[in-house]
Amino acid sequence: MNFKLVRQLSILCLGLVWPLISPAADSFNILLYHHISSTMPRSTSLSAQEFEGHLEYLKQNNYNVIDLALAISSVQQGTPLPDKAIVITFDDAWRDIYEQGLPLLKKYDYPFTVFVNTDPVDQKNRYTMTWDMLRDLKKQGVILANHTRDHDYLVRKPNYDDQWLSDVLDNINYAQQRLTDELGPVPKWLAYPFGEYNNRLKLALKDQGYIAFGQQSGGIAEFSDWQALPRFSAAGRYSNLKTLKTKLESQPFPANYKAFSNPVIRTDQGVQNQPSLAVELTKAQKLGVRQQLSCFIVGDRKMPDWQSKMQFTVQADQPLGKGRNRYNCTAPVWGQKNYYWLSHQWLIYGGEAPPKE
Ligand SMILES: [Zn+2]
């Protein structure tokens, strides 16, 4: 039986059966992968064996790996999701996803999404998939979506004026058009290269009807910021199952993400690089022991300052280094063993030329 049909049937069966056998959930977590390879850069890779270890873990621990489209529409429409809902995504459309990842994902019958940079495919880069491979994936039920045309650093630019915005939107819309021309209809979803964005871009994408994904940690619920959705990186040093386990079972921290500060700190424009993250809770009563809320800034523990029952701030003790930095906060879920998880990525940028990554 073909993979797509199996998947559609399993979604149908899941829809009919799961309310009877497992509690409904109103959130889901996304895993982010790049390469399935032992020879590509370790920071964005894990081996086929390690990847199979993740899939087997999900199966053994009764996670429900579901389609990103189903996950998004369920949360947005308020229809219940299966308990322990997980979505698998890949960025960059590397050829090893097709060669190493696809056979394993078919074996476990897990749906997935690939975010594609269209220029490398058009240029027939030997490490990326071809349009024929991508068409084959789509035929098998895989969702393909936008990761810009060329993987440019969207916000490492001299300024964020109208010309900048128009160039960035042209880049994104060009990729969307190429995907549509080659593959037929694809969802209006963007994964930001390197998870880097600013508030002006976020709002423009919202106006254009895009949903967008970053690379900060956390889960997705109705209160999420739909133009800055979090994903848990699961490759390189994050591929260890012991740490991944905590993330898989975590729940989205109930906060007003849409009110988070602009994530780009311009040191060349006099903005101090010790940003304070102000968090407004949406459901204080569901949080575990308030004193157990703890935050980590670039790996160092930092206790938050509570302004009221529903608000706290957290700020680094020292200036953050150039490039990407993350603030992570977790709190135990009342009466359970898992955690609420919140993360915000800051880009400390002084106008210099972007690195070659
Ligand atoms: Zn990428």
Side-chain angles (χ1 to χ4, degrees):
M1 204 186 293
N2 103 11
F3 183 45
K4 189 176 181 180
L5 185 60
V6 170
R7 193 169 62 80
Q8 282 171 345
L9 280 173
S10 61
I11 289 169
L12 186 67
C13 295
L14 186 72
L16 294 173
V17 175
W18 69 256
L20 305 174
I21 55 169
S22 65
D26 56 6
S27 69
F28 64 96
N29 293 341
I30 305 182
L31 295 177
L32 164 62
Y33 296 96
H34 288 81
H35 291 286
I36 306 295
S37 166
S38 309
T39 53
M40 287 300 185
R42 179 63 187 167
S43 62
T44 51
S45 303
L46 76 175
S47 69
Q49 205 182 1
E50 288 172 304
F51 185 57
E52 184 162 19
H54 288 192
L55 303 184
E56 185 62 24
Y57 181 86
L58 292 170
K59 187 181 162 195
Q60 293 297 329
N61 291 277
N62 305 313
Y63 282 96
N64 289 298
V65 179
I66 60 166
D67 189 292
L68 183 52
L70 174 71
I72 289 175
S73 65
S74 300
V75 170
Q76 287 193 328
Q77 291 160 19
T79 51
L81 281 163
D83 193 28
K84 304 178 86 170
I86 297 290
V87 168
I88 295 175
T89 66
F90 294 88
D91 280 5
D92 307 345
W94 298 112
R95 192 169 291 205
D96 50 62
I97 299 165
Y98 189 83
E99 290 166 352
Q100 307 287 327
L102 179 64
L104 291 170
L105 287 152
K106 280 171 84 165
K107 180 177 161 188
Y108 285 82
D109 193 24
Y110 285 163
F112 62 102
T113 294
V114 181
F115 290 93
V116 183
N117 308 118
T118 57
D119 275 2
V121 187
D122 280 333
Q123 291 156 2
K124 300 186 166 56
N125 181 308
R126 58 190 279 238
Y127 295 110
T128 52
M129 286 189 252
T130 63
W131 286 118
D132 278 342
M133 289 174 183
L134 291 165
R135 272 187 282 274
D136 183 38
L137 287 187
K138 191 161 186 245
K139 221 190 317 170
Q140 300 191 55
V142 176
I143 304 181
L144 302 163
N146 193 336
H147 194 33
T148 74
R149 171 179 184 169
D150 54 4
H151 215 282
D152 193 13
Y153 287 90
L154 303 181
V155 291
R156 299 201 194 198
K157 303 288 180 186
N159 55 58
Y160 310 125
D161 57 9
D162 292 349
Q163 187 59 51
W164 162 80
L165 184 61
S166 145
D167 289 347
V168 171
L169 292 175
D170 281 353
N171 182 335
I172 293 163
N173 288 324
Y174 178 91
Q176 192 72 15
Q177 191 60 50
R178 284 299 296 131
L179 288 166
T180 309
D181 289 347
E182 293 290 343
L183 308 170
V186 295
K188 233 174 159 182
W189 302 341
L190 173 78
Y192 299 112
F194 313 103
E196 296 179 2
Y197 59 90
N198 66 12
N199 282 1
R200 187 166 189 204
L201 175 57
K202 225 174 63 174
L203 293 175
L205 289 172
K206 187 178 181 187
D207 281 349
Q208 297 216 349
Y210 281 95
I211 285 175
F213 300 83
Q215 295 190 5
Q216 77 281 18
S217 298
I220 295 170
E222 158 275 325
F223 46 77
S224 294
D225 182 346
W226 292 90
Q227 282 71 41
L229 294 175
R231 294 181 291 168
F232 284 109
S233 288
R237 64 195 170 104
Y238 303 112
S239 58
N240 182 323
L241 263 175
K242 275 191 200 139
T243 49
L244 194 61
K245 179 180 176 292
T246 314
K247 296 172 182 175
L248 287 168
E249 64 192 19
S250 72
Q251 291 185 29
F253 194 105
N256 180 10
Y257 292 86
K258 296 174 190 87
F260 275 12
S261 311
N262 195 334
V264 181
I265 304 294
R266 288 297 295 254
T267 53
D268 58 339
Q269 293 171 7
V271 184
Q272 55 96 7
N273 54 347
Q274 244 173 294
S276 174
L277 178 65
V279 179
E280 198 184 301
L281 272 62
T282 55
K283 294 181 201 164
Q285 74 284 4
K286 281 184 70 181
L287 273 187
V289 185
R290 187 181 305 272
Q291 294 85 334
Q292 287 187 34
L293 170 74
S294 59
C295 297
F296 290 85
I297 295 181
V298 200
D300 289 331
R301 191 162 181 179
K302 174 76 187 158
M303 294 312 286
D305 292 321
W306 288 92
Q307 276 81 49
S308 74
K309 241 176 125 179
M310 298 294 277
Q311 282 178 310
F312 69 85
T313 53
V314 60
Q315 184 173 19
D317 287 329
Q318 291 166 359
L320 301 176
K322 286 258 164 81
R324 293 186 291 276
N325 294 266
R326 288 185 200 130
Y327 287 11
N328 281 291
C329 296
T330 59
V333 178
W334 182 253
Q336 294 184 43
K337 285 183 186 151
N338 58 344
Y339 290 85
Y340 288 113
W341 198 302
L342 169 153
S343 177
H344 192 57
Q345 175 172 287
W346 304 96
L347 172 66
I348 309 299
Y349 180 54
E352 63 279 354
K356 288 197 175 78
E357 291 196 44

